[in-house]
Amino acid sequence: MSDDAAGTPEMKRERRGGRAGRSGRSEAAGSPQKPFRQPRRRFSPVEIVSADELEAIHLASLNVLEEIGMDVLDAEARRVLQASGARVEKGGERVRFDRAMVLDKIATAPRSFKLHARNPAHDLVFGDDAVIFAQVASTPNASDLDNGRRPGNRADFQNLVRLAQSTNIIHMTGGYPVEPVDIHASVRHLDCLSDIAKLTDKAFHAYSLGRDRNRDALEITRIARGIPDEQLDREPSLISVINSSSPLRLDAPMATGILEMSARGQVIVMTPFTLAGAMAPVTIAGALAQQNAEALAGITLTQVVRPGAPVVYGGFTSNVDMKSGAPAFGTPEYMKAQLVGGQLARRYGLPYRTSNTCAANTIDAQAAWESVFSLWGAVMGGGNFVLHAAGWMEGGLTASFEKTIVDVDLLQMVAEFLDPLDVSSDALALDAMREVGPGGHYFGAAHTQSRYRDAFYAPLLSDWRNFESWREAGSPTAMQKANAVWKDALARYQRPAMDPAIEQELDAFVARRKSEGGVKTDF
Amino acid sequence: MSDDAAGTPEMKRERRGGRAGRSGRSEAAGSPQKPFRQPRRRFSPVEIVSADELEAIHLASLNVLEEIGMDVLDAEARRVLQASGARVEKGGERVRFDRAMVLDKIATAPRSFKLHARNPAHDLVFGDDAVIFAQVASTPNASDLDNGRRPGNRADFQNLVRLAQSTNIIHMTGGYPVEPVDIHASVRHLDCLSDIAKLTDKAFHAYSLGRDRNRDALEITRIARGIPDEQLDREPSLISVINSSSPLRLDAPMATGILEMSARGQVIVMTPFTLAGAMAPVTIAGALAQQNAEALAGITLTQVVRPGAPVVYGGFTSNVDMKSGAPAFGTPEYMKAQLVGGQLARRYGLPYRTSNTCAANTIDAQAAWESVFSLWGAVMGGGNFVLHAAGWMEGGLTASFEKTIVDVDLLQMVAEFLDPLDVSSDALALDAMREVGPGGHYFGAAHTQSRYRDAFYAPLLSDWRNFESWREAGSPTAMQKANAVWKDALARYQRPAMDPAIEQELDAFVARRKSEGGVKTDF
């Protein structure tokens, strides 16, 4: 035999011996994780459209904003936009933006900024070459292998939040990992945000669902950080994802969210949800032009509200299955949209948000290939903020405990991939090659022995046993192995420390707001 | 609700409706595939080490060749190397190469060349921005869901070859997709190459397992193409993967393979198998320095034999599981090695070979993430020839029928991703946006209706039904869905036409060589 796979007879024996060896079950309790850190992308992002083509998309979106415009469903937002030069239809909701106004306004947005967590060790850089992985958000269902799929509830919500806290590669929550519908909508934000503030010490997100919820979230953030209002106004400490209601509409709660958050100098992640063929043109270039128009409109509003307010350019363009209308994710079209989205964000000098998505119903090969294709597009496209990075299934309809662990493994591998390769003279290993020489073996070399323990990424789930050992162990799949890992992580979870005075203040605030009835739910 | 995943209530209803719609079972018989074509990479490959770091690896490998050298186990190969300036140890096998000689020799290798198939429509470009996907090769076992894992046999071999022929994204076979051990080793190459020549009309590969086998393969190739010897000598029509026996050794059959193939102007894919921590230093930079030394030694030999002989720079550096010694694939370390391997190949102006690998024992999430990570490294690293692109499992110990289909889907997605994005004025879809306007829907738009049938890649396997429909259908995984696809493909397989005179000549040659006893098996 002579090819790689088979190698020499000697090599085959060695390899089979190797694969018959110890189990490689590194998923056991206490599997080491690297310290909390943001990966840095050290290479240039990949550009799949030329500068001219990028300009064509840019110009198309400016044409859309000038000629068609956006429907903005909040009067106050229309008022401030008009005061800054936008043309508002008399008695209507349509707002048109001249290109000079758009370009002028978006120029004041910062290229990068720091997001403060209540634990400063978990502060995050948005922008430049830094990458943030945020947990899955906003799914209506949760699932795990033991209990299957069920509507979101507070216990699952809390457990998923605990996983976000105890996993260093999940840099922050990105919303409610699952929507706890067993909490009444009038007070859900109070319970959920207070849970997140207590169960994690990482940065977090608030939904923009009306002024009162935004204000409650800002106050909870302020209390949790233990800082005065003036400091909160100076320090981005809370993010809110704003989705335009594509095509070309900004709903009232979304517009209000920008008004409230940007006024306080908090972070808007402006993300149109432009499914090509449904809420956007069937062509990816057209969907991107519309995405860009909607994103620029929202970003413009942030800067009208407060020049210099932190804002992130969000891309969420994907395609649908044209046979059924079902949204598809992690597709070739999705990857292209991710890469061009990054080119657009960099054109405007803004941090770029993208996602780790899949449309699969179970954690099979499809779930993994769609997720890794998504991460490929995210990382190579220069994504700075990767939402839904861990746990997302079914196009966002389910947060899975096992998928969380699969994704954590994937994210850790991506972070490892992004780490620089050591090309020092020591790493080049000439002495080791001299020692081993032609035909030798490196297992016993001093160079190997002093390094082997942490030479390579130790995966949580990968099963590298040989076929026979794996079969004897019951032929476990990655999904099955993940089940034990999240249970172990939850068992070892420890609530992060919180100053008792802060906790008291937080509880008192939540109690008071609840006693006031929370917020209206008929916005 | 306000995040992407959940969207507005309207959006949620639409999406659930969408996912509840028709099945999306595009895996059914006759799923359309695009015509045979090579994908082209239109962006610059990703560089993860600097020019200085690349130079350090390059210089380290030149030091290795100059100072340590390689053991070359074939006397004739040592003789021709010595005649071209290499220093050969008196009475020994060690060959040392001065850097000037190496650089002088490798400079004559072509940047790119055409590989001729017996059907000219299946000719392939090696090099530049062109990509070739070659089928899995050299596995000792085959497997499928119905009959499990079994030692390689001719029936499985033939069926896998048939899948390579009927699948346009598999551009060629890359060896025996499984080793048919039910054919005696003395005549196996005759039966297998004649099977491949008849069952496919794509380009193919011959193992270098001694002079007689190489010569038989060259003759079968000549007969299958129906050309005279002189034309074969001018036209690359056969490839052979040469693995150095790492560390730093070139076995006799491998050296002989280079002598035989390069003398006839046929293609050598020079691929060290440098597992970091086993046959190479435990550091990836060290493993790459050794890979590069071994590759340059083999490439030097090709050019000594015949300046201008077509040769491919092969990289196959990965890491082992340091707990068990088992080889790992599709890891972060593997990806880094793929990217730097590409940088090295481009430094020397040579086509670059890499692989689509995984170490998984079943087609679960692990198999998919390892494969897509491999493809990520291959595509972004500028891989020109991706061996083992379809069907590989268990680190190369098994060729799987279902994995073949999963990989075909992955490769088709990668090809789609590499296709340029249409940014024409028509694709930018301003008219469609005018027609639909804010708050509208694109399903019914003329722009959508005229394009939806082939707007997006139609996957073979992806299950985009909603959870309930998927569960009612029996909760199929991608692996299970792939089972029906390969059976359907085999049922529809048609043998490509072959001139009866050529088939007669081929059969007569095989019969004669068998009557002579085939080849010695004690090389």
Side-chain angles (χ1 to χ4, degrees):
Chain A
M1 284 310 312
S2 66
D3 196 37
D4 330 310
T8 62
E10 292 75 13
M11 192 187 302
K12 279 165 96 169
R13 270 199 308 280
E14 278 169 24
R15 294 180 58 210
R16 284 168 178 172
R19 288 180 63 96
R22 268 164 290 154
S23 80
R25 286 180 64 88
S26 57
E27 83 278 24
S31 181
Q33 58 178 337
K34 295 209 170 170
F36 183 93
R37 68 195 169 106
Q38 285 185 259
R40 296 271 174 174
R41 186 182 32 72
R42 286 173 178 79
F43 45 80
S44 301
V46 172
E47 315 219 314
I48 60 163
V49 296
S50 69
D52 285 353
E53 290 170 328
L54 194 71
E55 203 60 12
I57 298 171
H58 165 70
L59 292 174
S61 54
L62 293 181
N63 284 341
V64 167
L65 290 175
E66 235 168 32
E67 180 200 321
I68 308 175
M70 294 266 291
D71 281 353
V72 176
L73 306 193
D74 180 78
E76 173 67 6
R78 288 196 299 274
R79 196 192 60 74
V80 299
L81 285 168
Q82 188 166 32
S84 286
R87 290 174 282 128
V88 176
E89 211 170 51
K90 215 177 171 104
E93 293 165 332
R94 188 68 56 91
V95 181
R96 293 183 174 83
F97 305 76
D98 288 336
R99 63 192 61 207
M101 175 200 175
V102 172
L103 297 177
D104 187 47
K105 291 298 167 194
I106 64 174
T108 61
R111 293 191 79 85
S112 65
F113 52 86
K114 185 198 274 192
L115 178 70
H116 294 260
R118 77 169 172 92
N119 176 354
H122 292 157
D123 289 353
L124 294 167
V125 174
F126 271 73
D128 303 329
D129 59 359
V131 181
I132 296 168
F133 295 126
Q135 189 177 32
V136 63
S138 317
T139 68
N141 304 289
S143 79
D144 68 63
L145 259 181
D146 303 302
N147 297 306
R149 186 179 187 261
R150 61 265 180 180
N153 59 73
R154 190 173 184 178
D156 284 328
F157 164 84
Q158 289 180 330
N159 279 333
L160 287 164
V161 167
R162 289 184 181 106
L163 289 180
Q165 172 64 16
S166 57
T167 307
N168 290 339
I169 198 69
I170 301 180
H171 299 110
M172 59 180 291
T173 53
Y176 311 157
V178 70
E179 186 73 22
V181 292
D182 54 351
I183 310 177
H184 192 271
S186 61
V187 298
R188 190 182 300 158
H189 68 292
L190 297 167
D191 282 334
C192 286
L193 293 175
S194 133
D195 278 354
I196 291 177
K198 290 180 186 177
L199 297 174
T200 84
D201 60 5
K202 297 180 177 178
F204 62 93
H205 166 278
Y207 294 100
S208 286
L209 291 167
R211 177 163 291 124
D212 293 343
R213 284 193 180 81
N214 283 114
R215 291 183 177 177
D216 286 343
L218 288 160
E219 181 62 4
I220 288 173
T221 303
R222 189 199 63 73
I223 295 170
R225 286 199 59 209
I227 58 172
D229 272 327
E230 308 75 58
Q231 191 176 348
L232 184 69
D233 288 348
R234 282 195 313 271
E235 296 181 346
S237 308
L238 180 66
I239 76 168
S240 189
V241 173
I242 297 294
N243 296 136
S244 39
S245 190
S246 307
L248 299 173
R249 202 170 58 179
L250 193 61
D251 287 343
M254 294 286 136
T256 306
I258 294 176
L259 298 178
E260 292 295 316
M261 292 282 291
S262 294
R264 299 292 307 271
Q266 302 305 309
V267 183
I268 292 297
V269 181
M270 183 63 218
T271 314
F273 184 16
T274 33
L275 271 183
M279 297 91 91
V282 73
T283 46
I284 293 298
L288 284 165
Q290 187 184 305
Q291 164 189 299
N292 200 52
E294 297 177 14
L296 292 182
I299 293 162
T300 295
L301 179 55
T302 65
Q303 302 305 304
V304 162
V305 172
R306 174 165 155 173
V311 62
V312 176
Y313 182 102
F316 205 82
T317 293
S318 194
N319 57 303
V320 296
D321 175 10
M322 291 310 292
K323 288 193 215 69
S324 66
F329 292 103
T331 60
E333 294 80 13
Y334 180 80
M335 292 174 74
K336 286 181 183 179
Q338 285 180 296
L339 292 174
V340 178
Q343 290 186 252
L344 288 163
R346 290 190 296 284
R347 189 197 181 290
Y348 306 123
L350 294 171
Y352 177 44
R353 170 260 160 110
T354 178
S355 309
N356 173 15
T357 58
C358 73
N361 289 303
T362 187
I363 306 171
D364 62 349
Q366 180 189 338
W369 81 59
E370 290 176 340
S371 285
V372 182
F373 277 133
S374 298
L375 289 169
W376 179 343
V379 169
M380 293 294 161
N384 298 112
F385 177 66
V386 182
L387 188 53
H388 309 305
W392 155 300
M393 292 294 296
E394 292 178 41
L397 295 179
T398 291
S400 155
F401 282 80
E402 284 82 16
K403 179 65 159 34
T404 297
I405 302 303
V406 168
D407 283 333
V408 164
D409 217 3
L410 297 181
L411 299 177
Q412 290 182 164
M413 285 188 263
V414 166
E416 195 78 20
F417 167 62
L418 288 174
D419 276 352
L421 184 68
D422 178 4
V423 192
S424 63
S425 146
D426 188 55
L428 285 168
L430 250 80
D431 283 344
M433 289 187 244
R434 287 189 189 102
E435 176 189 342
V436 170
H441 206 293
Y442 284 86
F443 271 146
H447 187 263
T448 309
Q449 288 300 310
S450 63
R451 282 168 187 77
Y452 81 93
R453 274 181 199 80
D454 53 6
F456 309 125
Y457 174 66
L460 291 170
L461 299 173
S462 302
D463 204 316
W464 291 337
R465 289 175 288 192
N466 70 13
F467 184 81
E468 293 76 14
S469 306
W470 169 79
R471 188 163 52 185
E472 277 160 29
S475 309
T477 64
M479 184 185 188
Q480 290 162 339
K481 296 178 80 169
N483 182 265
V485 179
W486 69 257
K487 288 178 182 167
D488 177 64
L490 279 187
R492 290 183 294 115
Y493 167 82
Q494 292 192 313
R495 224 187 100 168
M498 181 176 248
D499 181 329
I502 287 180
E503 185 161 354
Q504 208 168 10
E505 189 181 354
L506 185 58
D507 289 343
F509 175 75
V510 169
R512 174 172 68 76
R513 292 288 294 119
K514 282 185 170 183
S515 74
E516 293 166 1
V519 297
K520 286 181 296 182
T521 55
D522 61 346
F523 63 88
Chain B
M1 286 308 312
S2 66
D3 198 37
D4 332 309
T8 62
E10 292 74 16
M11 193 188 300
K12 279 165 99 169
R13 269 199 308 280
E14 277 169 24
R15 294 181 56 210
R16 284 169 179 172
R19 288 180 63 94
R22 267 163 291 153
S23 79
R25 287 181 63 89
S26 58
E27 84 277 22
S31 180
Q33 56 179 336
K34 294 210 171 169
F36 183 94
R37 67 196 170 106
Q38 284 184 259
R40 296 270 174 175
R41 187 182 31 72
R42 286 172 179 80
F43 45 81
S44 300
V46 171
E47 314 219 313
I48 59 163
V49 296
S50 69
D52 285 354
E53 289 169 329
L54 195 70
E55 203 60 12
I57 298 171
H58 164 72
L59 292 174
S61 53
L62 293 181
N63 285 341
V64 168
L65 290 175
E66 234 168 35
E67 180 200 321
I68 308 175
M70 293 268 290
D71 281 353
V72 177
L73 306 193
D74 179 78
E76 173 66 8
R78 289 196 299 273
R79 196 192 60 72
V80 299
L81 285 168
Q82 188 166 31
S84 286
R87 290 174 284 126
V88 177
E89 211 171 51
K90 217 177 170 100
E93 292 165 333
R94 189 66 58 89
V95 180
R96 293 183 174 83
F97 304 76
D98 289 336
R99 62 193 63 208
M101 175 200 176
V102 171
L103 298 177
D104 188 44
K105 290 300 168 193
I106 63 174
T108 61
R111 292 191 80 83
S112 66
F113 53 86
K114 185 199 276 190
L115 178 70
H116 294 259
R118 78 168 171 91
N119 177 353
H122 293 157
D123 289 353
L124 295 168
V125 173
F126 271 72
D128 304 328
D129 59 359
V131 180
I132 297 168
F133 294 127
Q135 187 178 32
V136 62
S138 317
T139 69
N141 304 290
S143 79
D144 68 65
L145 259 181
D146 302 303
N147 296 307
R149 186 178 187 262
R150 61 265 180 180
N153 60 72
R154 191 172 184 180
D156 284 328
F157 164 83
Q158 290 181 329
N159 279 333
L160 287 164
V161 167
R162 289 185 181 106
L163 289 179
Q165 171 65 15
S166 58
T167 307
N168 290 339
I169 199 69
I170 301 180
H171 298 109
M172 58 180 292
T173 52
Y176 310 157
V178 70
E179 186 75 21
V181 293
D182 53 351
I183 310 176
H184 191 270
S186 61
V187 297
R188 189 182 302 157
H189 68 293
L190 296 168
D191 282 334
C192 286
L193 293 176
S194 131
D195 278 354
I196 291 177
K198 289 180 186 178
L199 296 175
T200 84
D201 59 5
K202 296 180 178 178
F204 62 92
H205 165 278
Y207 294 101
S208 287
L209 290 168
R211 179 164 289 123
D212 293 343
R213 283 193 180 81
N214 282 114
R215 291 184 176 176
D216 286 343
L218 288 161
E219 181 62 4
I220 288 173
T221 302
R222 187 199 65 73
I223 294 169
R225 285 200 60 209
I227 59 172
D229 271 327
E230 307 76 57
Q231 191 176 348
L232 183 70
D233 287 349
R234 283 196 312 271
E235 296 181 347
S237 308
L238 180 66
I239 76 167
S240 189
V241 172
I242 297 294
N243 296 135
S244 41
S245 189
S246 306
L248 299 173
R249 202 169 58 177
L250 193 60
D251 286 342
M254 294 286 138
T256 305
I258 294 176
L259 297 179
E260 292 295 316
M261 292 282 291
S262 294
R264 299 293 306 273
Q266 302 306 308
V267 182
I268 291 298
V269 180
M270 183 63 218
T271 314
F273 184 16
T274 34
L275 272 183
M279 297 91 91
V282 74
T283 46
I284 294 297
L288 283 165
Q290 187 185 304
Q291 165 190 299
N292 200 50
E294 297 177 13
L296 291 182
I299 294 163
T300 295
L301 180 54
T302 65
Q303 302 304 304
V304 162
V305 172
R306 175 165 155 173
V311 61
V312 176
Y313 182 103
F316 205 82
T317 292
S318 193
N319 57 304
V320 297
D321 175 9
M322 291 310 292
K323 291 195 215 65
S324 66
F329 292 103
T331 60
E333 294 80 14
Y334 180 80
M335 293 175 75
K336 286 181 182 178
Q338 284 179 296
L339 292 174
V340 178
Q343 290 186 253
L344 288 163
R346 289 190 298 283
R347 189 196 182 289
Y348 307 123
L350 294 171
Y352 177 44
R353 171 259 159 110
T354 179
S355 309
N356 173 16
T357 57
C358 74
N361 289 302
T362 186
I363 305 171
D364 62 349
Q366 180 190 338
W369 80 59
E370 290 177 340
S371 284
V372 182
F373 277 133
S374 298
L375 290 169
W376 178 344
V379 168
M380 293 294 161
N384 298 113
F385 177 65
V386 182
L387 188 53
H388 310 304
W392 154 302
M393 293 293 297
E394 292 178 43
L397 295 179
T398 292
S400 155
F401 282 81
E402 284 83 15
K403 179 64 159 34
T404 298
I405 302 304
V406 167
D407 283 332
V408 164
D409 218 2
L410 297 181
L411 299 178
Q412 290 183 163
M413 285 189 263
V414 166
E416 195 78 18
F417 167 62
L418 289 174
D419 277 352
L421 184 67
D422 178 4
V423 193
S424 63
S425 146
D426 187 56
L428 285 169
L430 250 80
D431 283 344
M433 288 187 243
R434 287 188 188 102
E435 178 188 340
V436 170
H441 207 292
Y442 283 86
F443 272 146
H447 187 264
T448 309
Q449 287 300 311
S450 64
R451 283 169 186 77
Y452 81 93
R453 276 181 197 81
D454 52 6
F456 309 125
Y457 173 66
L460 291 169
L461 300 173
S462 302
D463 205 316
W464 291 338
R465 288 175 288 191
N466 70 13
F467 184 81
E468 294 76 13
S469 305
W470 169 79
R471 188 165 50 186
E472 278 160 28
S475 309
T477 63
M479 184 186 187
Q480 290 161 339
K481 297 179 78 170
N483 182 265
V485 179
W486 68 258
K487 287 177 183 169
D488 177 63
L490 279 187
R492 290 183 295 114
Y493 168 81
Q494 292 192 312
R495 225 188 100 168
M498 180 176 250
D499 181 328
I502 287 179
E503 185 162 354
Q504 205 168 14
E505 189 182 351
L506 185 58
D507 289 343
F509 175 76
V510 169
R512 175 171 69 76
R513 291 289 294 118
K514 282 185 170 182
S515 74
E516 293 166 2
V519 298
K520 285 182 294 182
T521 56
D522 61 345
F523 64 87

